[in-house]
Amino acid sequence: MCALLCCALCAQIRPVISENLDELSLRVRSSSLEDTKAIAQAATLFAREIDRCLGFDGVPRQTLQLTILRPGEDAAKDEESDLCFAYGSDSLLISYKLCQALLKRRIEEKFDLPLGAASSAHWMAAAVCRRVFFAGKGLLSYYRPDYGVAQRQFRQGRFPKLETLLCHSPEPGSSAIFRLYMLHCDLFLARLESLPESAVFMQRLLELELHGRSPCEALEFLLGDGLAPGDNLQSWYEKGVQAESTRGLRYSELDSILAELEDLFNPAILQPGEKQSIKKVPMRDMARQLEDYKLNTQAISLMQNKISRLAKQAPFLLQEPLHKFNKALLALQKNKKRRFRKEFQQAEKEFQKALERQNRIAGLLEENAARENPPLLPFASFLKAVDQASKTKP
């Protein structure tokens, strides 16, 4: 009884933070400013990717409302929200359901027809959600999908059945099964995007479904003579996604950190009177190059903040040398130029040694992992179930 009372009081104390996204016709409500802002940003990225894939534009007519309840609140009492989640719900589940609702609304408003239960809205939402949620599409200046798991499956001759992929989605959430499903949906969407006038093709695919065709029937009808002699829908799919999987680039967080450090330690400096007035100056030469200038302590502070952030993301062996770069910058900030040069050069040497050791360790770990753990181990139970199901007579 006491626990119930505490939950009720907690729900009353927590305010409801709302944000209206007029360009999306979406209202987001939660008891946390951070959650509200994060969901609003995710919704913007989902909507942008949906419109890009399908060639849609304009402001939706129907307004959606998404609510994350406060602790102790009952979802049954919230009759105003189109999407309602309990406090502490899985973030991937919220993202997928939001993406699905945005996509469903777009399709129904475009064609003025209701979507059926086994529509492409399921797999398309999974594909778009994965691109934004896991690959950061729209947040980063580059998009590097990682299809490594799928590539290893394909090399072993393991391909999803296209009809199963398009018509039967697993329970959404953070399970290995659902993440594998999202990966293959992403790859299939990439396969469709490689077709000429892909946005028009996908709109026609959806329109045929709205008039009663299954996703596979609609796809086969639209491909028509596009299938090579001897190919069927499954073989067309397998060849296409195998080719698409090789175009995804593996993203290395360490590579990203090194690239950011390279830019940080070679800032662009304005040097009047020279042919190239703007040029990059190595940080170790900064004190000498800017000897007649007043040091910009604010810029150095910003640099220190960036290095601190990178140190938190970096592997353990690289953290200490990164902190030593910050210590050297502190000397530069105090205009102690000789001390700065000495400490910065020492930090560079230590960082290079640590990086070489980190790369050796990473290489050994990868070799050991490849020997001891099959690359598809996280999905082993799912793949085993798929094999068993395929051998079971209907």
Side-chain angles (χ1 to χ4, degrees):
M1 187 69 174
C2 182
L4 290 173
L5 182 60
C6 285
C7 284
L9 288 172
C10 187
Q12 291 174 4
I13 293 169
R14 286 176 177 262
V16 174
I17 311 295
S18 301
E19 182 165 347
N20 292 322
L21 301 172
D22 295 333
E23 69 280 6
L24 301 184
S25 298
L26 176 69
R27 182 181 301 112
V28 179
R29 302 170 72 247
S30 82
S31 58
S32 161
L33 177 61
E34 291 77 12
D35 287 348
T36 301
K37 290 289 184 186
I39 293 169
Q41 184 184 41
T44 301
L45 297 175
F46 291 144
R48 186 187 302 165
E49 181 64 6
I50 288 168
D51 288 354
R52 188 198 65 78
C53 291
L54 297 174
F56 292 157
D57 55 21
V59 178
R61 298 189 298 273
Q62 176 197 354
T63 298
L64 294 176
Q65 178 167 297
L66 181 150
T67 299
I68 297 180
L69 299 170
R70 293 175 292 185
E73 283 188 323
D74 185 4
K77 295 180 181 178
D78 189 335
E79 298 177 355
E80 299 179 356
S81 300
D82 302 277
L83 295 166
C84 188
F85 301 94
Y87 180 80
S89 291
D90 182 79
S91 58
L92 182 55
L93 172 66
I94 295 172
S95 298
Y96 171 71
K97 290 291 187 182
L98 171 58
C99 195
Q100 192 178 44
L102 294 171
L103 180 60
K104 182 174 182 288
R105 180 182 63 177
R106 266 301 196 205
I107 296 168
E108 291 181 343
E109 288 189 358
K110 170 71 176 177
F111 300 107
D112 290 320
L113 288 168
L115 277 172
S119 75
S120 287
H122 297 288
W123 71 260
M124 281 187 182
V128 170
C129 183
R130 181 183 185 272
R131 291 180 176 185
V132 175
F133 191 92
F134 289 112
K137 190 166 190 183
L139 285 172
L140 303 174
S141 57
Y142 51 84
Y143 173 56
R144 291 181 171 180
D146 181 0
Y147 298 134
V149 170
Q151 286 175 357
R152 290 191 286 272
Q153 276 188 281
F154 297 160
R155 284 197 294 269
Q156 295 174 6
R158 293 177 177 272
F159 291 88
K161 294 294 181 185
L162 184 59
E163 185 178 3
T164 304
L165 184 70
L166 300 188
C167 299
H168 304 283
S169 61
E171 189 69 25
S174 294
S175 66
I177 296 174
F178 189 68
R179 286 187 288 116
L180 188 63
Y181 167 74
M182 295 175 82
L183 167 63
H184 286 292
C185 291
D186 182 358
L187 259 175
F188 180 64
L189 181 58
R191 173 68 183 102
L192 293 185
E193 286 176 321
S194 69
L195 297 173
E197 297 185 349
S198 61
V200 175
F201 184 95
M202 283 189 269
Q203 284 191 29
R204 292 182 65 196
L205 180 72
L206 293 166
E207 191 173 12
L208 286 170
E209 287 182 35
L210 290 169
H211 286 91
R213 300 217 183 192
S214 73
C216 282
E217 287 174 343
L219 183 61
E220 194 163 18
F221 175 80
L222 289 175
L223 287 172
D225 296 333
L227 291 175
D231 264 358
N232 56 27
L233 203 58
Q234 180 67 26
S235 61
W236 169 86
Y237 159 72
E238 290 180 7
K239 290 175 184 176
V241 292
Q242 189 162 23
E244 288 299 325
S245 71
T246 61
R247 295 175 188 169
L249 300 175
R250 297 298 302 272
Y251 172 74
S252 167
E253 189 173 32
L254 179 56
D255 288 345
S256 175
I257 290 170
L258 294 176
E260 198 165 342
L261 281 174
E262 178 69 21
D263 290 338
L264 207 56
F265 290 160
N266 294 278
I269 302 296
L270 179 64
Q271 296 186 326
E274 297 190 12
K275 289 183 179 179
Q276 292 183 337
S277 57
I278 297 178
K279 71 175 188 179
K280 290 191 172 184
V281 176
M283 181 59 66
R284 69 179 77 85
D285 300 332
M286 184 71 78
R288 186 174 68 254
Q289 292 278 354
L290 298 183
E291 202 163 1
D292 299 330
Y293 291 78
K294 183 178 179 181
L295 290 172
N296 189 335
T297 55
Q298 185 178 4
I300 294 172
S301 294
L302 289 172
M303 196 177 294
Q304 288 174 314
N305 291 337
K306 287 182 180 178
I307 292 173
S308 295
R309 175 178 58 79
L310 291 174
K312 290 178 182 178
Q313 300 171 2
F316 177 76
L317 288 176
L318 303 183
Q319 291 177 6
E320 186 59 32
L322 284 171
H323 290 311
K324 289 189 176 181
F325 280 123
N326 263 353
K327 186 181 175 185
L329 287 172
L330 186 62
L332 181 61
Q333 199 173 34
K334 294 177 180 178
N335 209 16
K336 297 179 180 178
K337 299 173 186 177
R338 290 181 61 186
R339 181 177 165 187
F340 161 73
R341 282 194 292 269
K342 181 180 177 182
E343 291 186 358
F344 193 88
Q345 288 172 0
Q346 183 63 31
E348 279 186 310
K349 290 178 183 176
E350 292 186 22
F351 182 82
Q352 193 57 43
K353 286 182 181 177
L355 180 61
E356 289 170 3
R357 189 180 175 199
Q358 174 66 36
N359 287 335
R360 286 198 303 272
I361 291 172
L364 289 170
L365 287 174
E366 193 169 336
E367 288 176 16
N368 292 338
R371 283 196 300 267
E372 296 174 10
N373 300 315
L376 295 175
L377 187 62
F379 306 109
S381 59
F382 172 61
L383 295 172
K384 185 178 179 181
V386 171
D387 287 341
Q388 288 174 345
S390 64
K391 294 173 185 175
T392 304
K393 294 182 179 179

